Amino acid sequence: MQASQFFDLQWSDFIVHAPSAEGIHSLLGAGETIVNDHIALRSFATPQLGLDALHPLFAGLGFAMGDEYRFRAKKLRARYYQHTAAGIPKVFVSELLLDECSEQLRGTVLKLCERVPADATLDPGFLASGRHWDISFEVYRGLLQESEYAAWLAAHGFRANHFTVDVNALSGFGSVAAVNRALTAAGYLLNTSGGEIKGSPAVLLEQSSTLADRVEVEFSDGVQTVPGCFYEFARRYPQADGTLYQGFVEANADRIFESTNALAG
Ligand code: NI
């Protein structure tokens, strides 16, 4: 699979779980193509599904590994991948460190993970394959009490959690603040955790995001409406050598994760 096919697959899945995405494209692009900075993926840190297990999949698509990040309170580890060819979005991928979670959460999650076929991650399409298990709304709510991340991943499975508009590439908007104003005026709800804009020129990265669209999910005991996926907006600033910073900022990302919180906003 080529990286472009990988992103096409991710996008067609994403717009089902973030129905606002197409309207946001029209609003910000005004007919021009939107460039995406990165997508974000979530996983569980098991030998089969964790970051190290997924590495060959990204390497096979032509990505090289960038820096790693740690989110202690959320019990997450993350890294990003950048493609060796120019003009291809980056991938920010994280994993929930099950060893740091309660025995109960770990037991629930490991049982779900057992449903994933052993060789599933050999196919790059796996990361847009969704959920491989049945789960009741009661179990979802149990997970939610301990980890919003675990509950989201258990409900939605493997798919892009968000896409990210590259604000530097927008011709109609010069700043994240201007993007936020347009979104708010059009009625989109922004993630306000830590302020509408996370980061600053000083850390070389400014980001904002919508709150996740609420979508219907089929649980084993009925359909429920829960937070789905969202859109992020990122503006990058030049480093000392003049090139734009391509990494991430832990403090920003920590707040962006909260865009899927059931009670956010
Ligand atoms: Ni992001």
Side-chain angles (χ1 to χ4, degrees):
M1 189 184 285
Q2 301 283 318
S4 61
Q5 284 172 281
F6 173 77
F7 286 108
D8 288 347
L9 203 60
Q10 291 290 346
W11 177 257
S12 48
D13 178 78
F14 173 68
I15 53 177
V16 176
H17 299 87
S20 297
E22 289 188 300
I24 291 173
H25 257 204
S26 317
L27 178 73
L28 300 182
E32 290 175 26
T33 309
I34 295 278
V35 177
N36 281 297
D37 178 83
H38 68 272
I39 65 167
L41 300 164
R42 296 180 173 186
S43 195
F44 292 119
T46 71
Q48 187 203 352
L49 299 169
L51 297 187
D52 295 334
L54 295 174
H55 177 78
L57 187 161
F58 293 113
L61 286 166
F63 285 97
M65 193 163 77
D67 294 336
E68 288 210 345
Y69 307 96
R70 185 75 165 86
F71 305 92
R72 290 189 191 282
K74 292 183 174 68
K75 305 180 170 68
L76 303 174
R77 186 167 77 111
R79 64 170 66 137
Y80 79 92
Y81 284 88
Q82 187 163 16
H83 206 271
T84 46
I88 294 175
K90 292 174 283 296
V91 177
F92 181 89
V93 54
S94 56
E95 63 178 7
L96 179 65
L97 300 166
L98 297 174
D99 289 349
E100 298 182 8
C101 297
S102 72
E103 210 167 302
Q104 196 187 357
L105 183 145
R106 191 161 58 245
T108 302
V109 164
L110 289 176
K111 221 174 280 173
L112 301 180
C113 293
E114 279 174 16
R115 309 297 305 166
V116 181
D119 57 357
T121 57
L122 296 177
D123 174 10
F126 171 72
L127 292 172
S129 65
R131 208 171 77 186
H132 294 249
W133 46 74
D134 275 335
I135 181 174
S136 70
F137 190 57
E138 193 187 342
V139 169
Y140 167 81
R141 284 205 301 189
L143 291 173
L144 198 54
Q145 287 183 1
E146 181 173 339
S147 166
E148 183 282 327
Y149 183 104
W152 187 93
L153 187 48
H156 298 288
F158 301 94
R159 53 170 40 106
N161 167 263
H162 60 268
F163 268 67
T164 308
V165 172
D166 176 354
V167 174
N168 299 69
L170 287 178
S171 60
F173 298 86
S175 66
V176 173
V179 167
N180 287 351
R181 278 196 296 277
L183 291 166
T184 303
Y188 295 103
L189 297 178
L190 297 177
N191 169 354
T192 56
S193 174
E196 277 185 7
I197 298 177
K198 292 93 170 105
S200 65
V203 296
L204 307 180
L205 178 60
E206 280 181 326
Q207 291 163 280
S208 71
S209 63
T210 60
L211 283 180
D213 282 335
R214 297 183 68 81
V215 295
E216 287 191 343
V217 167
E218 199 174 330
F219 292 94
S220 55
D221 46 358
V223 172
Q224 296 282 346
T225 303
V226 299
C229 301
F230 63 93
Y231 224 137
E232 184 190 310
F233 314 93
R235 183 179 181 192
R236 297 184 177 277
Y237 288 87
Q239 307 170 100
D241 67 3
T243 61
L244 293 179
Y245 177 63
Q246 293 298 324
F248 290 80
V249 175
E250 272 173 9
N252 295 12
D254 192 52
R255 301 300 193 148
I256 295 283
F257 278 119
E258 295 170 15
S259 307
T260 52
N261 279 8
L263 300 173

